[in-house]
Amino acid sequence: MPASGTAHRGRTRPGAGLAVCHGQQLLERRLPDHCERLPLQVTGTIHSLPRVSTMPEQGQLQRFEFRADSISPVDCAPPRTLLLNYRGEVRLVPGERWRFEVLLRRPWGLVNPGSFNMQAWYAQTGIDAVGSVRSTAPARRLASAEGRAWHHRLRQSLSGQIRAALGDTPEGAVLRALTVADRSGLDHPLWTLFQQFGISHLLVISGLHVGLVAACGLGLGTLLARSLALTGCNRSLVLFAPLLAMVLASGYTALAGFSLATSRAWIMLSCFLLATLCGRPGLSWNNLLLAAAGLLCLNPLAALGAGFWLSFGSVACLLWLSLWWPRAGRAGRWLGTHAYMCLAMLPLGSWWFGGASQVAALANAVLVPLTGFFVVPLTLLAATLSALNESWAAGIWRLAAWPLQLLLPGARQFAVDYPHWLYSELMPTGPTVFLALVVLALVAVPLGARIRVLLPLLLLPLLLPTTLHRVAAPGAVHVVALDVGQGTAVLVYDARNVLLYDTGGGMPGSPDVATTVILPFMRSRGLRHIDTLVVSHGDADHSAGLDSLLGKLPVERLLTGPDVEAGSRGESCRAGTAWQWRAPVQFQVLAPAVGEQLDANGGSCVLRAGIGRFSLLLPGTSAVTGSVSWYATGRRICAVRSLWRPTMAVPAHPHGPG
């Protein structure tokens, strides 16, 4: 036994050592605390395709990665890769060498249960600091574009040609995303539309697109090899097909800028194709594990993202299905595989995204072949011809956009007329997802008819809505200060009731915090309504999500500050207003008093929540940062979650209920 234990510990050391070294490198490149938001001089190279967006009343904004060679002062020099914002009319070209004066901060992002972890994304992609170029100091171009960023310049050129051919239209934005992974034109309504139909994976160059390009390469290579074999050439041409597939997949990955998603797909595909070249089975579990190990060696933090588990989970499902359906006909195999993958996305999508499209099976059955065998091949053909004749390429891009021009208006109208028919929000738990995975494993196995009839019953806990709030104990009261950046959003709930104080902020043209943070958190906790919604005052960082919440959830009572526009639904906060849920949970409005003439902040709705022996004061003007959760049961309030950073406000102090 000791020898076995020693061997086991030895096997874990390389992985743990690699993760520690990777984490140490990330920490060494972090921006020092004393350098945050100080004017710094940085010199380096533009290292990515700038993502262009137009901000209302602020003009054009370009967001890009900058590989810094030097930072002044020297004691602020550890960061290597910066994510910068540049406001100006100068067109930035990948590979150019620039000197900027910037304001930097550490790569911080919102961290909340149930929603996207921006801070983890920064770590996965190797961003050491984020910031903006100062407009008060002139930027200086030091050298023209270098050769090592040629693929980004090619992407920028192709993106400009597509924009010139199709304009700033939705179908043009989709083609730019599918061709060169330029998501500048993909606004939030377009993302939401594709999510409602369960086809948002078509908006990014992912493993599906890289695999389709590789499949085209395999087919073309096989056809060429057989044609050459008829002329009496060497039979070793059998290797021509996987080599051509590898070349085309590598070129497409370069067009996507070697993003995390496409690099993951490329590594996986490389393992399968290299096994084929070596005369070994390509589609095997060993190759899948080898691809996962290779990716984690390059980036141990890749496993933090949903894409890692969705990509490898999808391929694992295909391998599992191939074990039990090896002899099905082509039509039967395609239909069966499509149905099986739609079922596979149900537990995976619900766990990572909190919902599933009800029309995903039909939408993917139409659009995946249309995209894979019509749109993408035409866009790549146009990209190839653009080097010879841009007018030919423009005509092919218009042809590739033609199906999108027909389908997108109808899809938008359907989403407006029948919104509840498209997308269902799910509230998965560990046990419900496990049962769904059991169904996923058994449905591919040849079982008796009686057992197959019972399998759908195991999906009911995942699909059926629940009215039970997920609380720590039957009598617990949870207090959650959500991480919304600048602003406030504090949630108080027990097993039956919910109160939300403020709705967080939001930027014009982008989804507000209520959509990206509050609603996902409430969904993850089983909260499907709001008894009382309090909006302290009208500043955007406190009230921007009001319309989103009123449109998504039933709200029984709305209390607002004096400058909040809530129409006839709201009632003004008045000092002395009080109510309670049950004996130990009481609420009282402390301000503003009737007749007071105060400004927006001074007239904020101040709320006191009494929970047993404790009181919680919510003044409205102090921002809550960090994501902290308490629950109260009996005579104690317990901090049960503090994510990434300690709380900066909303402490709970012992205080009598009176």
Side-chain angles (χ1 to χ4, degrees), residues 568-601:
S568 60
R569 295 200 56 176
E571 56 181 287
S572 299
C573 287
R574 290 291 180 265
T577 304
W579 70 96
Q580 69 177 28
W581 291 345
R582 48 190 174 85
V585 184
Q586 302 173 351
F587 299 93
Q588 183 179 6
V589 177
L590 303 182
V594 178
E596 283 186 314
Q597 300 295 325
L598 302 171
D599 58 14
N601 282 315

Side-chain angles (χ1 to χ4, degrees), residues 71-339:
I71 298 180
S72 179
V74 179
D75 58 344
C76 299
R80 172 70 172 161
T81 302
L82 314 177
L83 185 63
L84 299 179
N85 292 327
Y86 172 77
R87 287 184 174 86
E89 299 302 323
V90 177
R91 180 173 176 264
L92 302 178
V93 177
E96 289 182 336
R97 186 171 175 80
W98 282 79
R99 177 180 294 135
F100 296 118
E101 184 173 303
V102 299
L103 298 178
L104 297 180
R105 59 180 174 83
R106 290 189 170 188
W108 174 87
L110 303 183
V111 181
N112 293 281
S115 58
F116 182 72
N117 190 334
M118 192 66 185
Q119 199 156 314
W121 182 85
Y122 284 137
Q124 292 175 60
T125 51
I127 301 299
D128 303 320
V130 298
S132 58
V133 178
R134 300 190 71 193
S135 58
T136 56
R140 181 181 178 186
R141 183 188 284 111
L142 302 179
S144 58
E146 300 177 359
R148 60 182 178 181
W150 63 269
H151 61 291
H152 289 308
R153 290 195 297 278
L154 175 61
R155 296 171 62 208
Q156 189 177 54
S157 174
L158 293 175
S159 177
Q161 292 182 38
I162 297 174
R163 186 187 298 271
L166 299 172
D168 291 321
T169 58
E171 53 272 13
V174 173
L175 284 194
R176 294 198 301 274
L178 288 176
T179 308
V180 295
D182 181 6
R183 291 181 283 176
S184 299
L186 300 178
D187 54 15
H188 179 62
L190 189 60
W191 274 106
T192 303
L193 179 68
F194 274 64
Q195 182 187 34
Q196 289 176 319
F197 281 88
I199 53 175
S200 55
H201 58 93
L202 297 179
L203 286 176
V204 294
I205 299 180
S206 61
L208 173 64
H209 303 91
V210 176
L212 288 172
V213 170
C216 292
L218 281 173
L220 181 60
T222 302
L223 179 62
L224 292 175
R226 290 179 178 178
S227 301
L228 293 174
L230 293 176
T231 64
C233 293
N234 196 319
R235 294 181 61 86
S236 62
L237 288 172
V238 70
L239 302 179
F240 185 74
L243 286 175
L244 182 59
M246 195 69 223
V247 170
L248 292 181
S250 300
Y252 195 39
T253 305
L255 278 181
F258 293 103
S259 64
L260 187 62
T262 52
S263 298
R264 178 175 58 240
W266 184 85
I267 291 174
M268 196 182 309
L269 183 65
S270 299
C271 291
F272 292 146
L273 292 178
L274 287 176
T276 302
L277 290 172
C278 296
R280 301 178 64 86
L283 296 176
S284 71
W285 295 97
N286 289 335
N287 295 331
L288 181 64
L289 294 175
L290 178 62
L295 178 62
L296 293 176
C297 285
L298 295 175
N299 187 355
L301 297 180
L304 295 178
F308 177 88
W309 298 102
L310 292 174
S311 296
F312 284 93
S314 299
V315 177
C317 289
L318 290 174
L319 291 176
W320 176 256
L321 186 64
S322 66
L323 294 177
W324 301 101
W325 292 3
R327 298 182 180 179
R330 290 186 178 180
R333 176 174 293 185
W334 185 85
L335 291 174
T337 301
H338 174 70

Side-chain angles (χ1 to χ4, degrees), residues 364-378:
N364 280 276
V366 174
L367 289 175
V368 168
L370 179 65
T371 302
F373 299 108
F374 184 83
V375 178
V376 171
L378 286 179

Side-chain angles (χ1 to χ4, degrees), residues 281-578:
L283 296 176
S284 71
W285 295 97
N286 289 335
N287 295 331
L288 181 64
L289 294 175
L290 178 62
L295 178 62
L296 293 176
C297 285
L298 295 175
N299 187 355
L301 297 180
L304 295 178
F308 177 88
W309 298 102
L310 292 174
S311 296
F312 284 93
S314 299
V315 177
C317 289
L318 290 174
L319 291 176
W320 176 256
L321 186 64
S322 66
L323 294 177
W324 301 101
W325 292 3
R327 298 182 180 179
R330 290 186 178 180
R333 176 174 293 185
W334 185 85
L335 291 174
T337 301
H338 174 70
Y340 188 74
M341 292 309 298
C342 290
L343 177 63
M345 288 300 102
L346 183 61
L348 296 177
S350 65
W351 179 260
W352 288 104
F353 306 118
S357 172
Q358 299 172 171
V359 296
L362 179 60
N364 280 276
V366 174
L367 289 175
V368 168
L370 179 65
T371 302
F373 299 108
F374 184 83
V375 178
V376 171
L378 286 179
T379 59
L380 296 181
L381 176 61
T384 304
L385 292 179
S386 63
L388 302 176
N389 191 309
E390 292 188 10
S391 61
W392 295 353
I396 297 177
W397 271 315
R398 293 190 190 98
L399 179 61
W402 171 68
L404 300 175
Q405 293 172 342
L406 295 179
L407 295 174
L408 283 177
R412 284 199 185 91
Q413 191 60 45
F414 190 89
V416 172
D417 295 339
Y418 309 101
H420 301 293
W421 287 20
L422 290 179
Y423 194 82
S424 294
E425 293 183 349
L426 303 176
M427 293 176 289
T429 61
T432 60
V433 171
F434 175 76
L435 291 177
L437 293 177
V438 170
V439 174
L440 186 63
L442 294 180
V443 75
V445 179
L447 300 172
R450 295 181 180 179
I451 298 179
R452 286 189 175 277
V453 171
L454 297 177
L455 288 180
L457 298 178
L458 299 179
L459 290 175
L460 292 180
L462 178 65
L463 299 177
L464 293 179
T466 177
T467 57
L468 299 177
H469 297 180
R470 294 170 190 160
V471 293
V477 179
H478 288 253
V479 180
V480 184
L482 292 170
D483 185 3
V484 296
Q486 180 179 350
T488 310
V490 179
L491 199 66
V492 183
Y493 67 95
D494 62 6
R496 296 180 57 186
N497 307 100
V498 180
L499 177 139
L500 177 63
Y501 183 89
D502 279 348
T503 67
M507 295 292 293
S510 301
D512 51 54
V513 170
T515 301
T516 59
V517 173
I518 299 175
L519 289 171
F521 176 84
M522 294 184 65
R523 182 173 58 244
S524 69
R525 294 298 185 267
L527 311 178
R528 303 181 67 89
H529 74 284
I530 298 177
D531 294 278
T532 305
L533 173 59
V534 182
V535 182
S536 61
H537 60 289
D539 287 355
D541 55 346
H542 294 258
S543 63
L546 177 59
D547 292 338
S548 297
L549 289 170
L550 293 177
K552 292 286 187 179
L553 293 176
V555 177
E556 296 183 10
R557 186 182 188 187
L558 176 60
L559 297 177
T560 64
D563 61 333
V564 178
E565 297 181 3
S568 60
R569 295 200 56 176
E571 56 181 287
S572 299
C573 287
R574 290 291 180 265
T577 304

